[in-house]
Amino acid sequence: MSDKSTAALAHQFDDPEQQLEASTLGMWAFLATEILFFGGMFAAYAVYRLAYPQAFAAASNHLDILLGTVNTAVLIASSLTMVLAVYSAQFAGRRAQVTFLLATLLLGTIFLSIKGVEYAHKFHEHLVPGAGFRFDGADPRHAAIFFSLYFAMTGLHALHMVIGAGLLIALTVMSWRGRFSAVYYTPVEMVALYWHFVDVIWIFLFPLLYLIGRH
Amino acid sequence: MATAAALRKTYFLVFGALLLLTLLTAGIAYVDLGPLSFAVALAIAMTKAALVMIFFMHLNHSEFLVKVFAGAGVLWLLHMLTFTLADYLSR
């Protein structure tokens, strides 16, 4: 084992493999709390959608399905580049790691930019709940609940992506400095777990927010 | 442990499957399936989530305890949703 890889091994662990397993377990424990954090919002969504199905369908029709679908594809592509960054840390060199990390960062930025365009449209169309809210459907009061949930859920999701982007920048710097190898790539795998989790949240947000009452 | 080349191939196959399922769920939203619409959308989303968790998040290569932790997160979520809806739907 080289000096660089032993330096990355904290003294309480027997070997790098055990260290990676411990970090992975801790990361999944954190992700379980995140599932429940988002879960409260999904529960609120379920309760209100069951109570006001027509208002939710009418409000959902005001979301841009094309932008939503493109953004879903962008996020899935970013998950692919993220997992390829982990793969590169395990099997390839620094150049491939940095390339895939930057590709993931770029795709994440594209996702957030498209989200920003969508938010701007909603502001423009007076669909942001509050004093300026205007909705010409049958049930504006309950359509406003849909848009409150839309902004809360996609906003919290976007915040997670911004944090993920910060983590990716830190990883890219570490990778550039040659910190990762097949023996030690724990930070890459941990950020990847977080990034994929954020992808999974969006996989549920997309049909629940964009795809109801379309026919 | 799979070989590097096989691992890489799996990632691209999963990516393709996720893209196809995304197009499927967006397309099928325009078909009137009645009350089944929601069930179909949810089933596709759960399939996509499972693909990401098993292959991209490496649950297929994880040790047993990690799988238990991942399962616990999902189980607790189902508890929250089930008991919340059991209340609201039975009022």
Side-chain angles (χ1 to χ4, degrees), chain A residues 21-22 24-26 28-29 31-32 35-36 38-40 42-43 45-47 49-50 65 69 72-73 76-77 79-80 83-84 86-88 90-91 100 189 192-194 196-197 199-200 203-204 206-208 211-215, chain B residues 1-5 7-8 11-12 15 18-19 22-23 25-26 29-34 37-38 41-42 44-46 48-49 52-53 55-59 62-63 65-66 69-70 72-74 76-77 80-81 84-85 88-89:
Chain A
E21 284 171 2
T24 304
L25 196 61
W28 274 101
L31 292 181
I35 290 174
L36 292 171
F38 278 95
F42 281 104
Y45 172 92
V47 167
R49 180 171 169 184
L50 282 164
I65 196 165
T69 309
T72 307
I76 287 170
S79 260
L80 176 69
V83 83
L84 289 174
V86 176
Y87 173 92
S88 304
Q90 287 172 286
F91 303 109
F100 283 120
E189 175 70 358
L193 285 175
Y194 174 83
H196 296 313
F197 164 80
D199 188 12
V200 167
I203 282 171
F204 285 99
F206 173 58
L208 291 178
L211 300 179
I212 57 180
R214 287 285 170 180
H215 45 76
Chain B
M1 189 74 187
T3 65
L7 209 55
R8 199 180 159 90
Y11 294 150
F12 279 96
F15 172 65
L18 288 170
L19 281 188
T22 301
L23 291 176
T25 194
Y30 288 98
V31 182
D32 190 357
L33 300 171
S37 272
F38 178 70
L42 200 62
I44 294 174
M46 289 198 292
K48 287 166 73 182
V52 172
M53 287 170 74
F55 295 104
F56 285 177
M57 297 174 87
H58 300 133
L59 278 182
S62 294
E63 56 179 327
L65 197 55
V66 171
F69 271 45
V74 177
W76 258 244
L77 174 69
M80 175 157 67
L81 293 176
T84 305
L85 294 180
Y88 277 94
L89 291 177

Side-chain angles (χ1 to χ4, degrees), chain A residues 75 78 82 101-112 157-173 191 194-195 198:
Chain A
L75 206 52
S78 81
M82 186 74 242
L101 288 172
L102 287 178
T104 310
L105 183 63
L106 176 70
L107 289 164
T109 310
I110 292 173
F111 178 94
L112 286 171
H157 177 265
L159 177 66
H160 275 78
M161 300 240 356
V162 171
I163 293 168
L167 294 171
L168 280 171
I169 292 169
L171 269 191
T172 308
V173 173
V191 173
Y194 174 83
W195 192 264
V198 174

Side-chain angles (χ1 to χ4, degrees), chain A residues 53-205:
Chain A
Q54 280 91 10
F56 266 49
S60 169
N61 274 302
H62 283 74
L63 297 186
D64 192 323
I65 196 165
L66 179 65
L67 290 184
T69 309
V70 168
N71 245 357
T72 307
V74 168
L75 206 52
I76 287 170
S78 81
S79 260
L80 176 69
T81 54
M82 186 74 242
V83 83
L84 289 174
V86 176
Y87 173 92
S88 304
Q90 287 172 286
F91 303 109
R94 197 173 63 138
R95 197 189 174 91
Q97 293 171 32
V98 170
T99 305
F100 283 120
L101 288 172
L102 287 178
T104 310
L105 183 63
L106 176 70
L107 289 164
T109 310
I110 292 173
F111 178 94
L112 286 171
S113 307
I114 293 178
K115 205 80 219 116
V117 169
E118 285 189 78
Y119 278 3
H121 285 167
K122 297 293 161 284
F123 272 96
H124 192 68
E125 294 162 10
H126 298 282
L127 290 173
V128 181
F133 186 75
R134 305 269 181 284
F135 187 77
D136 25 346
D139 191 358
R141 215 168 83 82
H142 296 131
I145 294 177
F146 174 87
F147 283 106
S148 295
L149 284 165
Y150 167 77
F151 281 106
M153 295 170 98
T154 58
L156 188 63
H157 177 265
L159 177 66
H160 275 78
M161 300 240 356
V162 171
I163 293 168
L167 294 171
L168 280 171
I169 292 169
L171 269 191
T172 308
V173 173
M174 290 169 84
S175 178
W176 183 253
R177 289 179 180 163
R179 290 278 300 277
F180 305 128
S181 64
V183 179
Y184 180 72
Y185 60 97
T186 306
V188 192
E189 175 70 358
M190 294 310 108
V191 173
L193 285 175
Y194 174 83
W195 192 264
H196 296 313
F197 164 80
V198 174
D199 188 12
V200 167
I201 293 293
W202 182 261
I203 282 171
F204 285 99
L205 288 181

